Structure formats: C-alpha cells, structure tokens
Amino acid sequence: MSVSLGNAFIKNFLGHAPDWYKIAIISFLIVNPIVFFMIDPFTAGWLLVIEFIFTLAMALKCYPLQPGGLLAIEAVAIGMTSAEQVKHELVANIEVLLLLVFMVAGIYFMKQLLLFIFTKILITIKNKALLSVAFCVTAAFLSAFLDALTVIAVIISVAIGFYSIYHKVASGKSQNTSHDHTSDEHLEELTRDDLENYRSFLRSLLMHSGVGTALGGVMTMVGEPQNLIIADQASWQFGEFIIRMLPVTLPVFICGLITCYMVEKLKWFDYGTELPVHVRKILEDFEEEERKKRTNLDKAKLIIQAFIAVWLIVGLALHLAAVGLIGLSVIILATAFCGVIEEHAMGKAFEEALPFTALLAVFFAIVAVIIDQQLFKPIIEAVLLLEGSQQTTMFYIANAVLSMVSDNVFVGTVYINEVKTALLEGTITRDQFDLLAVAINTGTNLPSVATPNGQAAFLFLLTSALAPLIRLSYGRMVYMALPYTIVLSIIGFLGIAFLLNPMTQMFYDLGWISHSIAEITTNSVSSGH
C-alpha cells in the first residue's frame, strides 16, 4: 500500500514509536523555543530537563538517543547552551567515554571465559537458593571490575543457550537439526509444564544477576559510568573509592545476599522455582558433550583470558593507566593471543557500547544546559543549608527518587557537578563534599533497581530477545525487583544516616584515606572546571 509523501515523513520520524509519542516529541520541540524566548530561560531549561527525563522513562517506546538528541540539538540552536560548553563537558568526561568504548569492547573478547564460569555454576550447584546467591555474587564481583551491561549480556547468552537446548530436545529434535525455540507448537502438555517451570527458574536467576550487577557496580569507580564521573570530580583513586563507599556498600551487599536467599527459600515475588529434573538431565548431557569437544585451542583461549582478567583487576586496582586505556589493552591482548585479528570480526565488539556512548554524549549536552541556566542551584543551596547527616540523607533521597524513573548516569552527573561547584565556590568543605559524593553514588546505584529505567543492565535485559521467551515483562520485572528495592534503599539510607560519617572518620584515623582541599582545587583549575 502506497503512502503520500507527507505521511512517509511522519512514518519515518522515530520509526516504530507510537503516534502519541511522536506527537509528544514534536510538541516539545515546538513549545521549548516559545517558553525560552517569551517566558523565561530558567523555566524553559527545567521544561527541557523534564522532557529529557520523559524520553528516558519511555525508553521501551523509543531508544532515548533520537528524541533526546533532537531536544539537545534544539537547546544548542536556540541558545540554552553552546556547542563549546557541550564540548567542554565531553572533554571533562573523556575517561567515561573511553570506558564505554574500549572496556565494554574488551570484555566482549573475554566472553568465552565468562560463559564457561556461569555454565559451570549453573550445572554444578543443585540447591536453588545457593545457586541464586552464587549467580548474584559472581555478577557482583564481575560488575565491580567490568561493565555491568557486558556481564548481564553474558548471562543472557548463557540463558538463551540453555533455553534453546532444552526447547529443541523437548520438541523431539536432535541437537544437530535446526529449530525455532520461540515457538511452542511442537511441545507436549507434560513438557509444557516443565518449560513453564524452566522459564520461571531462568527469570529468577536473571533478576538475581541483574541485582548483583548493582550490588557490585556501586562498590568501585569502574562499576558504573557515573561512578567514574564521581571519582574523577573527587580525585579519588580505585582503592580510595572502594574504602569511602564501604560504610554503605558493605552492609547493603550483605543484606542484598540475605534477601536473595530468603526470597528463594520463602518462594516470594515469583522466586523459588526449582530446575525441573528432566531439564537438568538434558543440560548436563549437553555440557558433557561440549567438554569432550573442547580442543586445545579452546583451552588455550580460556587460559589466556584468565590471565588477561588478572591483569585487568591488577591494572584497575593499582591505577596503572586510565580505565579506558586498560580496556584498550584488554582488546589488544585478547585479540592478539586468541586469534581474532580480522577487522570485521573486531567490529562486532563495539556494537553494544557505541549506542550508549552516543546517548551519554547527549546526557552531557543536557548537563551543559543545566550548568548554563543554573537550574539546580536553588535546590542545591536549599539542601546545603541543612546540617550533618540531614544533608547527606537528603542528597541520597533526591538521587534515589530521580534514579528510579530516570537514568542513573544522568542523575549522578548532574548532582556531582553541582556539588563540585559548591566546593570550588567555598560553600561546603572538602569533608562535606566527600560525604555528599558517597550519598550521590549510592543514591543513584541502589534504589534505581526499582525499575528498568534506572539501571541500564535491567533495561538491556528487558529489551533482549530472551525476555519474551521467559515471559519477563516490565510489570513482572518491577514486581520481582520490589524486595530488593525495599531492602537496598532502606539499608543504603541507614548507612548514609548512621554509619558513613563515623566510619569515614575511622578510616581517616587509620590513615587509609586522605585528601587535601588544595589538591582538588588545583586539579579543577588546571582542567578548566
């Protein structure tokens, strides 16, 4: 059926997004200049921020890069900010961009090792509660040193592989025949029951793993992109970042694992389904066949990737180079010693990271508007009037609420920039800044597990090919995340309110952390902040 040229433009605009969504974005683009020129730039700036958060919240309707990018382009065009200010923000956060470009791609070449680890865990541990804790802990550990998106992508690969293996056998086909694992029409009723239980089993493991990436990601400066931004603004190195976060992250980690175990044992919130016996037998037989087929070439690759993983951890812990450059070294080592040297084969590694890298550049354009229009200044000034733990807890709550509906990288970037400005202007002391930085980091990382909007790893899981296969919808994900949301948010709040200041002072007394106001001021002036 042919369409008119006018309708063709409308259909092409934002692709398959719903018509109401397209109308909303067009309305935003029309209203913004009117408000900016005829009412007030400050009001227009806040309107832009709300519109951008809307695009993040509606990420399942349309990837935020395109609508958010249009809003950012318009903001520069009408004078809310300048292209030079956007460039300044990008240059100031170059380490984060390098992290996404090179580290995510580098871990792509270590997928064999990660797949091997998660497969062994799934086959070896037969107790479901312990298996869930093992997946959660492994995801947390890997996310502390690697990118959370890559870790969840590996777990998704494992789950899709095992799902298709069982689905093919249950459909009466051999492993060597082609099969569509998205269709259930060849399954018998008894097999369908096993399949539904298997879907529930995989759903719970993936949710535990997703929460694990948040538990581990909050602990280190490379766990999430906003962590690196916060660490850079605070001039914290790898070890100091871990120690400063410890008063909050350690109790949260312990309580998170207890929650993981309890929801499995009590079978609450759609957890607790065991792996069906028939399914386990099929998976064990398949794993045994794969083990027999593993050649010396495959074993050599696993050994090399294990050594590279050790280098990665040591390089990050000792801060031997910028995080992105360590990621680049991982790409070089993994490809050189594992035989991947063709250009087209390497290109696939960058596919996962670059869309989000582009989106992050749009984040910084919106941040440039916030800075130029001083949008958050009244809020920050009001909160800074509070004293002691009230100040840090309010920052934690403010970041938590916004991170539940928006992207935590954007939220963290906005707040740490405002707090850094307050430090440089002498409004707060260095000690206050350090405490607020911890509150911002934990506030953006922990309560954001509430919805897929806040955590990139959750959103990646929800939009993956696996989600419809295991019947993981947006509502079910929010429901299954609820016990974690409650526990992580409350324990994080209590850690900020009662443990942060005393334990930080203890670390100072022990000489584990130290810093000078002069150092951060000098660094900031020399870098042009």
Side-chain angles (χ1 to χ4, degrees), residues 242-254:
I242 294 174
I243 293 171
R244 286 192 178 278
M245 297 299 156
L246 209 58
V248 183
T249 56
L250 183 59
V252 164
F253 181 75
I254 293 171

Side-chain angles (χ1 to χ4, degrees), residues 250-505:
L250 183 59
V252 164
F253 181 75
I254 293 171
C255 293
L257 295 185
I258 292 173
T259 305
C260 176
Y261 186 83
M262 292 304 296
V263 293
E264 284 294 336
K265 295 300 289 185
L266 298 173
K267 301 184 186 299
W268 287 352
F269 296 93
D270 200 28
Y271 292 105
T273 305
E274 300 284 344
L275 179 63
V277 177
H278 298 98
V279 180
R280 175 175 291 281
K281 182 67 171 66
I282 291 171
L283 298 183
E284 288 174 343
D285 291 345
F286 175 81
E287 171 59 17
E288 180 62 22
E289 285 185 29
E290 288 294 299
R291 187 188 65 79
K292 290 177 181 177
K293 289 192 296 184
R294 192 173 291 126
T295 65
N296 286 334
L297 283 174
D298 297 324
K299 292 176 183 176
K301 289 178 181 178
L302 291 174
I303 293 170
I304 288 294
Q305 289 173 21
F307 276 112
I308 294 172
V310 173
W311 147 245
L312 177 64
I313 294 171
V314 172
L316 292 172
L318 300 180
H319 200 69
L320 299 179
V323 175
L325 296 183
I326 293 176
L328 179 59
S329 73
V330 169
I331 294 175
I332 295 169
L333 293 171
T335 54
F337 290 97
C338 294
V340 184
I341 56 173
E342 293 82 9
E343 184 178 354
H344 70 276
M346 294 180 63
K348 293 180 180 178
F350 294 88
E351 291 178 0
E352 291 178 6
L354 290 183
F356 189 70
T357 306
L359 179 59
L360 196 62
V362 175
F363 284 177
F364 292 134
I366 304 300
V367 170
V369 173
I370 291 171
I371 291 171
D372 281 352
Q373 302 301 325
Q374 298 185 327
L375 301 183
F376 276 70
K377 192 171 184 179
I379 299 173
I380 298 297
E381 288 177 347
V383 176
L384 292 179
L385 290 175
L386 300 173
E387 295 181 359
S389 62
Q390 282 186 322
Q391 196 178 81
T392 49
T393 52
M394 280 306 299
F395 263 90
Y396 176 85
I397 293 170
N399 280 269
V401 172
L402 201 52
S403 292
M404 287 181 182
V405 296
S406 179
D407 186 272
N408 53 11
V409 180
F410 173 67
V411 177
T413 303
V414 169
Y415 273 97
I416 196 63
N417 281 338
E418 293 296 327
V419 173
K420 178 67 173 291
T421 300
L423 171 64
L424 296 178
E425 291 176 350
T427 308
I428 59 175
T429 66
R430 174 66 208 202
D431 287 344
Q432 283 177 288
F433 173 84
D434 289 334
L435 296 175
L436 292 176
V438 174
I440 292 169
N441 184 65
T442 52
T444 55
N445 275 292
L446 298 176
S448 58
V449 301
T451 69
N453 308 107
Q455 282 280 348
F458 276 33
L459 186 61
F460 185 73
L461 171 59
L462 187 63
T463 55
S464 70
L466 178 64
L469 297 180
I470 60 174
R471 309 300 188 257
L472 184 61
S473 62
Y474 187 100
R476 192 189 291 267
M477 182 175 279
V478 171
Y479 175 70
M480 294 181 73
L482 185 59
Y484 283 111
T485 303
I486 295 171
V487 172
L488 269 57
S489 300
I490 292 175
I491 301 301
F493 176 85
L494 294 175
I496 291 290
F498 301 108
L499 297 178
L500 181 58
N501 210 348
M503 287 189 69
T504 301
Q505 188 58 50

Side-chain angles (χ1 to χ4, degrees), residues 168-181:
K168 182 181 288 187
V169 173
S171 299
K173 298 182 180 180
S174 66
Q175 291 294 344
N176 297 322
T177 58
S178 60
H179 174 65
D180 178 14
H181 58 260

Side-chain angles (χ1 to χ4, degrees), residues 420 423-424 430 516-526:
K420 178 67 173 291
L423 171 64
L424 296 178
R430 174 66 208 202
S516 67
I517 301 174
E519 181 184 345
I520 189 170
T521 306
T522 303
N523 291 342
S524 301
V525 172
S526 63

Side-chain angles (χ1 to χ4, degrees), residues 40-110:
D40 176 45
F42 185 84
T43 304
W46 266 110
L47 186 62
L48 178 76
V49 170
I50 293 169
E51 291 165 355
F52 185 68
I53 291 174
F54 169 82
T55 67
L56 297 175
M58 294 290 109
L60 293 179
K61 302 297 181 184
C62 180
Y63 190 64
L65 173 62
Q66 289 77 22
L70 290 173
L71 292 172
I73 291 171
E74 183 184 63
V76 174
I78 65 177
M80 283 189 182
T81 187
S82 65
E84 192 61 32
Q85 181 65 29
V86 175
K87 176 187 171 185
H88 172 76
E89 290 302 315
L90 291 172
V91 171
N93 294 283
I94 186 64
E95 281 205 40
V96 182
L97 299 174
L98 289 177
L99 164 72
L100 289 172
V101 172
F102 291 131
M103 187 62 82
V104 176
I107 305 309
Y108 174 89
F109 295 107
M110 296 176 64

